[in-house]
């Protein structure tokens, strides 16, 4: 697409407005040179969806329509910039809920067209990975990243930040999805991850021996459907026998099974590959027990360990702006004809 000015280079200050609306957070940020976040505004819809036990796509889309423009205005005001100061606009185009993606992407197209600046389409999963570099720009490579969220569980090897190798993926449910489903089945509400973690604080993680999936081909893939079924069967069996269920022990035991499944595969990969760092990304990276276990294991093998701050673990636009900056430097711009891709892969 044509731009109103010459493209800037790495030596110049580059200001990007980034938008994120893939699920139930409406977010806008202004990033300077990628990793310097001048403003990061997030309007969450969690309370709106809690009574339904999960995100209702149509409701989320309508709320994005209502919130996006005020969120953009607030981000620009906090950054002390105006639309004319922007060098590019970025938006998540997948994966996610198609209605929400379309709201953010369409707004970004309108801004790009009216200001004659480049449009940058960003992969949501890549955003979660790059969130680490906002807080920790000194991360050494090569590295292994475990990205874990409500829709994704991926183990990735990065020689540098321009290429990656997929070491393993979930073969069924994502870790975050398992947290949400079990929390709902236990009556703990939404979102499931924080609810399970809170309930597990007073519980015994060894109280119930739930299964961990073992792959016959010794791959780095994950599986959580069997664990999810085992927990649901346990709850049903206890109810049928008229036995009281200790919610804290149940939550702690389930959480420990998920953490063990994730950390064991991660450690296997760390031992196989010559790396300098490990990073966590995605909403489940906020889980304290997971961080504790991984940190202890990596300390023994002397590998540096990083994870984003809590506000950068959950969906936000700053992480989208971080990715967009590097796409800008590569002139990786999108056509105004680009469409949202709810099933987009890395």
């Amino acid at each position: 697409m044509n731009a109103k000015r010459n493209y800037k280079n790495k030596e110049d200050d580059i200001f990007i407005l980034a938008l994120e609306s893939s699920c139930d957070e409406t977010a806008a940020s202004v990033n300077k040179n990628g990793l310097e976040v001048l403003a990061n505004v997030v309007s969450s819809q969690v309370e709106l969806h809690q009574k339904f036990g999960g995100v209702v796509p149509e409701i989320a889309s309508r709320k994005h329509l209502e919130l996006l423009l005020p969120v953009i205005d607030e981000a620009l005001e906090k950054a002390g910039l105006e639309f004319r100061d922007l060098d590019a606009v970025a938006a998540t185009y997948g994966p996610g809920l198609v209605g929400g993606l379309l709201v953010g992407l369409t707004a970004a197209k309108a801004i790009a067209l009216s200001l004659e600046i480049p449009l940058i389409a960003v992969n949501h999963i890549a955003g979660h990975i790059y969130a680490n570099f906002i807080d920790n720009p000194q991360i050494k490579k090569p590295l292994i990243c475990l990205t874990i969220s409500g829709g994704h569980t991926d183990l990735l090897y990065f020689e540098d930040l321009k290429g990656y190798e997929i070491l393993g993926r979930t073969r069924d449910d994502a870790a975050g999805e398992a947290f949400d489903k079990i929390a709902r089945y236990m009556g703990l509400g939404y979102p499931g991850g924080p609810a399970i973690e809170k309930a597990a604080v007073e519980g015994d993680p060894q109280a119930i021996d739930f299964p961990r999936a073992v792959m016959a081909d010794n791959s780095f893939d994950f599986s959580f459907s069997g664990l999810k079924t085992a927990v649901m069967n346990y709850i049903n069996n206890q109810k049928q026998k008229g036995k009281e269920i200790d919610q804290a022990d149940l939550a702690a035991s389930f959480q420990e099974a998920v953490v063990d499944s994730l950390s064991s595969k991660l450690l296997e990969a760390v031992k196989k590959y010559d790396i300098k760092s490990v990073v966590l990304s995605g909403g489940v990276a906020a889980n304290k027990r997971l961080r504790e276990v991984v940190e202890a294991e990596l300390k023994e093998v002397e590998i540096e360990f990083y994870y984003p701050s809590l506000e950068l673990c959950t969906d936000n636009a700053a992480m989208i702006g971080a990715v967009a900056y590097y796409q800008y430097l590569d002139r990786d711009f999108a056509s105004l004809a680009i469409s949202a891709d709810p099933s987009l892969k890395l």
Side-chain angles (χ1 to χ4, degrees):
M1 62 181 293
N2 294 324
K4 69 178 182 181
R5 65 195 82 174
N6 293 327
Y7 299 142
K8 290 184 175 180
N9 297 308
K10 191 174 182 179
E11 297 76 22
D12 305 312
D13 285 334
I14 298 170
F15 298 96
I16 297 176
L17 171 68
L19 309 179
E20 158 60 31
S21 58
S22 64
C23 191
D24 60 343
E25 273 84 25
T26 310
S29 75
V30 178
N31 294 46
K32 176 183 176 182
N33 303 331
L35 303 183
E36 184 179 346
V37 182
L38 302 183
N40 187 30
V41 180
V42 180
S43 181
S44 177
Q45 301 178 24
V46 168
E47 290 186 8
L48 185 65
H49 297 279
Q50 277 179 334
K51 61 183 176 182
F52 302 107
V55 178
V56 181
E58 179 63 21
I59 294 175
S61 301
R62 292 180 180 276
K63 202 64 178 177
H64 286 310
L65 281 170
E66 176 187 332
L67 296 172
L68 187 59
L69 292 182
V71 164
I72 291 173
D73 288 342
E74 185 178 345
L76 287 171
E77 183 179 350
K78 285 187 174 182
L81 298 178
E82 298 183 13
F83 279 107
R84 65 170 178 266
D85 299 314
L86 299 174
D87 297 296
V89 59
T92 303
Y93 79 109
L97 302 176
V98 67
L101 291 169
L102 285 171
V103 173
L105 187 59
T106 302
K109 287 180 180 181
I111 293 170
L113 181 63
S114 61
L115 298 179
E116 296 183 316
I117 57 176
L119 170 67
I120 302 174
V122 176
N123 186 307
H124 179 79
I125 308 172
H128 277 302
I129 295 169
Y130 274 71
N132 278 282
F133 294 90
I134 295 174
D135 284 336
N136 307 290
Q138 76 281 9
I139 296 175
K140 297 176 183 176
K141 296 167 282 292
L143 63 84
I144 284 177
C145 175
L146 177 60
T147 182
I148 29 179
S149 66
H152 306 277
T153 302
D154 299 304
L155 190 61
L156 309 166
Y157 170 81
F158 286 82
E159 185 70 34
D160 53 45
L161 288 183
K162 290 189 176 181
Y164 63 90
E165 176 186 350
I166 300 171
L167 304 182
R169 280 181 164 164
T170 182
R171 296 187 180 183
D172 38 63
D173 291 349
E177 183 182 3
F179 271 113
D180 284 341
K181 288 180 177 178
I182 294 303
R184 188 182 307 124
Y185 209 73
M186 290 176 64
L188 297 178
Y190 172 84
I196 292 281
E197 185 174 10
K198 183 178 180 180
V201 171
E202 301 299 327
D204 177 5
Q206 308 303 324
I208 309 164
D209 186 19
F210 288 126
R212 280 73 158 157
V214 178
M215 301 301 167
D217 55 3
N218 294 319
S219 74
F220 293 119
D221 284 350
F222 305 92
S223 173
F224 296 101
S225 64
L227 170 60
K228 181 188 68 178
T229 301
V231 176
M232 295 169 78
N233 286 340
Y234 174 84
I235 294 172
N236 291 335
N237 289 336
Q238 295 300 101
K239 287 182 178 178
Q240 287 172 3
K241 294 174 182 178
K243 292 184 178 180
E244 185 177 344
I245 298 174
D246 189 312
Q247 290 281 77
D249 284 351
L250 177 58
S253 298
F254 167 69
Q255 177 179 257
E256 194 70 9
V258 174
V259 168
D260 188 30
S261 298
L262 293 169
S263 61
S264 60
K265 289 292 183 182
L266 174 59
L267 192 60
E268 286 177 28
V270 167
K271 291 178 178 178
K272 181 175 179 179
Y273 289 83
D274 183 18
I275 60 166
K276 296 181 179 178
S277 308
V278 165
V279 300
L280 297 182
S281 67
V284 183
N287 184 279
K288 292 179 182 178
R289 178 59 181 161
L290 176 63
R291 291 179 176 187
E292 289 172 358
V293 170
V294 172
E295 188 166 19
E297 291 176 344
L298 293 179
K299 198 170 184 178
E300 291 185 6
V301 293
E302 299 182 337
I303 297 292
E304 294 182 7
F305 177 48
Y306 301 93
Y307 46 81
S309 55
L310 188 60
E311 61 268 22
L312 292 178
C313 281
T314 53
D315 289 352
N316 65 90
M319 66 184 193
I320 302 304
V323 180
Y325 171 73
Y326 294 98
Q327 290 184 223
Y328 182 99
L329 294 179
D330 287 340
R331 308 298 187 245
D332 180 12
F333 303 141
S335 161
L336 290 177
I338 193 171
S339 183
D341 186 349
S343 301
L344 183 67
K345 302 291 185 183
L346 264 178

